[in-house]
Amino acid sequence: MKNQRSGVAAALSAALMSLVTANLAQAVEDPPPMSVRATGLKVATIPVEGMVCLSCAASIKKAVRKVDGVTDAEIDFVHRSLRVTYASGKVFLLGRVSTAIVGLGYKPGTPVLEP
């Protein structure tokens, strides 16, 4: 029984080391992303009512990414919200994003701008 435990411990230790090594190698290869502030982009989080499945989330994300001025859109399915990154000079963009969401049959809430 003791030999089995030491074999399991050795296997777990080797697996952990390979994960750490792989993560360190990736960190060296991938440069850190630029901050939103450094790029002149803005971020807003918009609650979305009616989003009940992953298909709903994918439809919203796809439609919002097509809005002119949106540089990224990510869904937070747990909080039922959409995080939109957009060009700072786009004054009416959040209205167009809300219109795109409504056009799919969902109800957008009030956008919360990140500092």
Side-chain angles (χ1 to χ4, degrees):
M1 185 71 153
K2 186 175 180 180
N3 286 339
Q4 274 184 325
R5 286 186 191 164
S6 65
V8 170
L12 287 173
S13 178
L16 181 60
M17 282 303 289
S18 71
L19 284 173
V20 169
T21 303
N23 286 340
L24 287 174
Q26 183 178 2
V28 170
E29 292 173 10
D30 298 337
M34 292 184 69
S35 71
V36 172
R37 187 169 291 187
T39 60
L41 298 174
K42 290 190 175 186
V43 177
T45 301
I46 304 171
V48 180
E49 290 181 30
M51 181 173 53
V52 295
C53 65
L54 294 176
S55 180
C56 301
S59 296
I60 293 168
K61 183 176 176 178
K62 183 178 179 182
V64 169
R65 283 187 168 176
K66 290 181 180 179
V67 174
D68 184 41
V70 171
T71 59
D72 194 21
E74 293 299 325
I75 297 289
D76 181 345
F77 194 71
V78 173
H79 294 104
R80 303 287 196 261
S81 64
L82 167 72
R83 185 173 188 262
V84 180
T85 305
Y86 59 98
S88 60
K90 300 290 185 175
V91 179
F92 299 107
L93 179 116
L94 293 178
R96 290 194 302 267
V97 168
S98 292
T99 300
I101 294 169
V102 168
L104 294 171
Y106 305 98
K107 184 178 177 187
T110 303
V112 176
L113 302 177
E114 292 185 13

